[in-house]
Amino acid sequence: MVNENDSEGLVKELIHQVSGIPIDQIGLEDRLIVTLGLDSVEIIDLLIRLEAVGVTIPSAQISAA
């Protein structure tokens, strides 16, 4: 079973892979577009990578990224 810290690390790693932002600069409260500055292509890439590891995000939350 994946614990919360492992999940957080995985998501941060995926955001880093997509955006190049250093992992230590990605926080739990950061917003993908507003805070981290991801563009639409990076968001789609991130969603695909998250889905590949079994993480799904409700569409209502995606528009609020």
Side-chain angles (χ1 to χ4, degrees):
M1 182 172 191
V2 177
N3 69 37
E4 187 174 323
N5 289 334
D6 290 343
S7 297
E8 177 185 335
L10 173 63
V11 171
K12 285 182 175 185
E13 175 63 30
L14 293 175
I15 292 170
H16 166 71
Q17 289 174 11
V18 167
S19 68
I21 298 169
I23 292 173
D24 63 347
Q25 292 181 13
I26 301 169
L28 289 177
E29 300 299 318
D30 287 338
R31 298 186 57 138
L32 296 175
I33 297 170
V34 176
T35 310
L36 299 176
L38 272 65
D39 63 25
S40 58
V41 173
E42 291 171 324
I43 298 278
I44 291 169
D45 188 8
L46 178 61
L47 292 173
I48 291 168
R49 291 173 190 244
L50 287 168
E51 231 175 60
V53 296
V55 176
T56 55
I57 299 174
S59 58
Q61 289 184 332
I62 292 170
S63 63

